[in-house]
Structure formats: C-alpha cells, structure tokens
Amino acid sequence: MSARDEYALALELLRMRAQQDFATWWAAKEQGRVTLEQLRAVFADITRDYGEVAASAAVDYLILERSLDESLAGLGFPDRADPVGFEQAVASFDWAVNTSREGGVLNSAVARRKLDGVLVRLVGAPAHETVVVNARRDGRAFARVPEPGACAFCLMLASRGAVYASRHTAGAADAGERFHDHCRCLVIECKRDGSDLPRINRDLEAAWAESGARNRAEFEKYIKLRGEVGGSPWPPLERVNVPEYAGDGTSKVFPGEPLPKDLNRAVAHVLYGWRDTPLKGGMWVKHSEDSRMGHTWDSQRAKASKFPKSWSNQKIADAVVEALENPTNALAYGQRREVWLAKEEVIIQVRYVIIRGQAKMLDAYPVDSIPKRARK
Ligand SMILES: [Zn+2]
C-alpha cells in the first residue's frame, strides 16, 4: 500500500471511530443519562482527541512519503497542526442542534446526521492543515484528491491540481482549506509540477480547462453533461468484442441489483491492465491494446495471476461478463460484491461495489480457489 493509501485509510478509520464514540454518548443522552450540555462538551473532547491523532497520522504520512525521495532528505521534521479548538467545536455542535428543531422540538435523527457530518469535517481538519502547512513551509505543493462520488465543489477544487504559494490560480488555496460537512476528500503532498498527482486530479485539471467553466455551477453542468464523475472514460476496445449481458443488466445472484454497466472497463482491465491510478512504483499503464499488463498468459506484470495460453482474449472477455451475470459462487459484504465463475480449468473472480444504487467495477482475474463462505 502506498503512503497515500495508508494515510487515507488511517483517516477514514479515525473518523469512523470518532463517530462510533459519539454514537455511544448520543445513546446515553437519548436514555436521559447524559444532558445535552454534557454531550456538547463530550463532542468537543472527541473532535480534539481524534483530531490530534489525525494530525499525527498526517505527520507520519509526510515522513513516509518524503523518505522515498532522496532529494527531500534535508527537510525538517513536519509540524503537527493543532486540533480544532473548543469554541469552534461547540459552535458547530450548537449549529447542528439549533437547525434541527421543528416547532421547538429537537429532531433527533436530523441532528445526529448533521453532527456526524461535522465530526468528519472537524476530525479531518487538523490533518489537512498539517499537510498544507508543511508543504508550504518546505516549498512543496499540495492537492485535493476527491472521494469517489465527490460533489462538484470538491471536484472543482481537485481540478486545481498541484497548489503552491507562487502559483496564483483563483481559489487554489481552497483546495486544502475548505471542507464541507461529510466531506471525505484527502489532501496530499505532491511535486510542484504535479507529475506525481493521481490520475483523477490530472483528468479534472484537463476537464476544467476543456469546460471553459468560470465557477462551480458551470463546472457542475459540464461534468454532468460528460455523463460521469471521476475520470475520463477509457477508449473503446477494438481487438475484442466487449460482450453485452444476456439478461437485463441485473444480477442473478443478487436479485434486482444492477451489474456494472461499463463492461469495456472490466474487459480492458483484465486483458490489458488499464487502470485509473499508476501501479505501485508509479508506473502508468498506457490505455492501449498493446499494453500487456493485465492477466493474459503473456502479461508482463510481475505477480499478476494469468489465464492459460489456450484462453483467447475474446474467451476471457466473455467469461468475465458471464461471471458478473451468472456466477457459480457469490459473496456480499457491505457495498462490496465478489463473484466467481468456475469454467473449465479456470476460476475467475470479479469484484465490484454498489455505490448510490450503481455498480462500479473493481477488478477481475483468475484465482486458485473459491472461499468456502461464498454461497452457491
Ligand atoms: Zn469533498
């Protein structure tokens, strides 16, 4: 796992634990064991405690990220930003509670949801600040990586690419500073030329330029028009026929549930190794049908599992789509779906996720076995 991925995961876990912690106290309030006033103070404590750990996670991330680059060896130890103060925490708490009253009566569910969103923002804030402050201090740049399904506001800020002091792009600093409630975007450190930015940022930079938008509303319109959020579409495949589903595009094992629509994507990944992010080590897989970085027998990617030589690209493509639609075994946990198809001497595993009612493809490749817990 890259330093960035590890950091993203650490932040996500901290936010979740902060929310769980708060949920326990909220329940105590609902049962009358704790007053609203006490809960308010606890809320501030939680934002401080988890915020502190989040800021430390950002420091760890910077140390790890920088340790991989010799030219950064001389940089000093990163400073850790302070968690949000008591006043800011209780002010946000009061806002969430006061805007959740209907005719003087507190709508508990509404307040809870707002406070959950505030927690995500306040716990993450000192971590983001840590990255921004140190990037500035040490002459590096930072960028905002949008969460999957991010709103237009966050996509616009991510489209600013690498942000640093002497680069005057309108609103660029906001990329590291402005976060809405529930926002799970990540602030990363990067090179000033942006050459180590994730592909999503480059795509969004290009999209912003292409769009000619001057503000978020115009950009949002453009993104919607483009028909998808989170990266430009992959070029269509020409050397294989990307099969269509035999049925209506819903799963046989998860009745009524949609299957990934973009089969071009599934096939391009398994055959040629196309992806939206660079491989570990920073190498990009070209979106060309000459890339042999997938799971075919002649793949050049170290450690990739491979289909037998007797399986043509077309046969692999067909089997992946068959696995999605009519697998021999399946497993669901949370939003994740894993399906398997045993065909001849090969077991194909396909993974996807259900996000906001839509299926998004993760990956597909041959595996050695089907886990016992996967149902038939
Ligand atoms: Zn966001």
Side-chain angles (χ1 to χ4, degrees):
M1 216 194 267
S2 72
R4 282 173 188 172
D5 290 347
E6 242 170 78
Y7 171 50
L9 190 64
L11 268 194
E12 193 45 36
L13 286 174
L14 282 168
R15 293 177 184 129
M16 264 174 51
R17 280 165 51 195
Q19 287 178 331
Q20 283 164 358
D21 212 349
F22 183 63
T24 311
W25 285 92
W26 184 269
K29 198 223 57 155
E30 298 280 87
Q31 294 156 3
R33 290 187 283 120
V34 169
T35 65
L36 192 64
E37 192 55 31
Q38 287 169 318
L39 188 70
R40 187 173 179 257
V42 163
F43 184 80
D45 284 348
I46 291 175
T47 58
R48 186 198 56 222
D49 293 349
Y50 286 95
E52 225 164 58
V53 187
S56 296
V59 168
D60 292 346
Y61 153 65
L62 290 172
I63 292 172
L64 191 60
E65 174 93 6
R66 291 171 171 194
S67 72
L68 303 172
D69 186 338
E70 265 176 56
S71 67
L72 302 176
L75 299 182
F77 196 83
D79 291 320
R80 194 184 73 178
D82 291 329
V84 300
F86 180 81
E87 283 75 26
Q88 194 189 339
V90 294
S92 296
F93 181 92
D94 292 345
W95 164 82
V97 169
N98 292 335
T99 54
S100 305
R101 293 189 200 280
E102 287 157 19
V105 184
L106 182 69
N107 183 329
S108 225
V110 172
R112 241 328 280 290
R113 195 177 140 63
K114 284 185 183 169
L115 286 167
D116 256 355
V118 172
L119 262 184
V120 167
R121 178 167 58 84
L122 296 187
V123 168
H128 305 324
E129 191 186 337
T130 296
V131 176
V132 169
V133 163
N134 288 290
R136 287 211 166 109
R137 187 195 75 178
D138 296 328
R140 305 205 73 218
F142 63 86
R144 180 173 187 131
V145 182
E147 64 177 313
C151 63
F153 172 73
C154 293
L155 291 177
M156 184 182 72
L157 293 180
S159 78
R160 297 297 179 258
V163 177
Y164 52 91
S166 54
R167 191 183 172 204
H168 298 290
T169 315
D174 289 349
E177 285 160 10
R178 289 192 50 196
F179 295 87
H180 55 83
D181 291 344
H182 295 286
C183 173
R184 292 186 144 83
C185 293
L186 191 70
V187 180
I188 58 164
E189 188 175 65
C190 60
K191 294 182 180 165
R192 289 166 69 128
D193 65 4
S195 58
D196 57 347
L197 278 178
R199 168 146 179 206
I200 178 85
N201 290 85
R202 299 155 180 243
D203 283 346
L204 286 166
E205 255 184 302
W208 176 266
E210 253 169 55
S211 70
R214 284 156 303 175
N215 53 45
R216 163 176 142 199
E218 288 178 11
F219 192 50
E220 185 164 17
K221 239 194 205 157
Y222 172 80
I223 291 276
K224 276 206 180 119
L225 264 179
R226 229 169 49 143
E228 39 87 54
V229 169
S232 54
W234 294 358
L237 297 172
E238 283 164 8
R239 296 187 204 160
V240 287
N241 260 328
V242 176
E244 286 174 12
Y245 293 121
D248 60 359
T250 61
S251 169
K252 290 219 166 76
V253 282
F254 306 112
E257 215 176 73
L259 292 168
K261 281 205 179 88
D262 197 350
L263 291 173
N264 187 68
R265 201 176 175 85
V267 172
H269 176 80
V270 72
L271 293 183
Y272 311 119
W274 296 4
R275 51 184 68 227
D276 287 325
T277 51
L279 292 169
K280 219 177 248 176
M283 197 194 119
W284 289 83
V285 175
K286 231 179 123 192
H287 287 185
S288 140
E289 287 182 69
D290 291 325
S291 293
R292 277 184 288 147
M293 297 299 278
H295 298 274
T296 49
W297 69 274
D298 58 349
S299 173
Q300 294 171 330
R301 183 152 65 89
K303 288 188 199 156
S305 65
K306 294 178 182 78
F307 284 93
K309 194 173 175 179
S310 59
W311 279 52
S312 68
N313 284 0
Q314 190 61 54
K315 184 167 177 177
I316 294 172
D318 292 344
V320 166
V321 175
E322 190 182 339
L324 277 164
E325 190 166 35
N326 202 9
T328 26
N329 298 73
L331 198 57
Y333 44 100
Q335 295 168 301
R336 289 180 76 98
R337 304 288 176 268
E338 298 189 6
V339 292
W340 291 266
L341 177 72
K343 198 176 177 75
E344 296 162 26
E345 71 276 51
V346 179
I347 301 169
I348 301 149
Q349 174 186 278
V350 185
R351 303 192 293 183
Y352 58 98
V353 283
I354 305 287
I355 302 171
R356 287 172 244 269
Q358 293 208 336
K360 271 207 99 117
M361 187 66 200
L362 291 178
D363 49 29
Y365 49 86
V367 293
D368 291 334
S369 60
I370 300 173
K372 285 214 173 64
R373 60 186 195 287
R375 66 185 168 84
K376 292 210 179 205

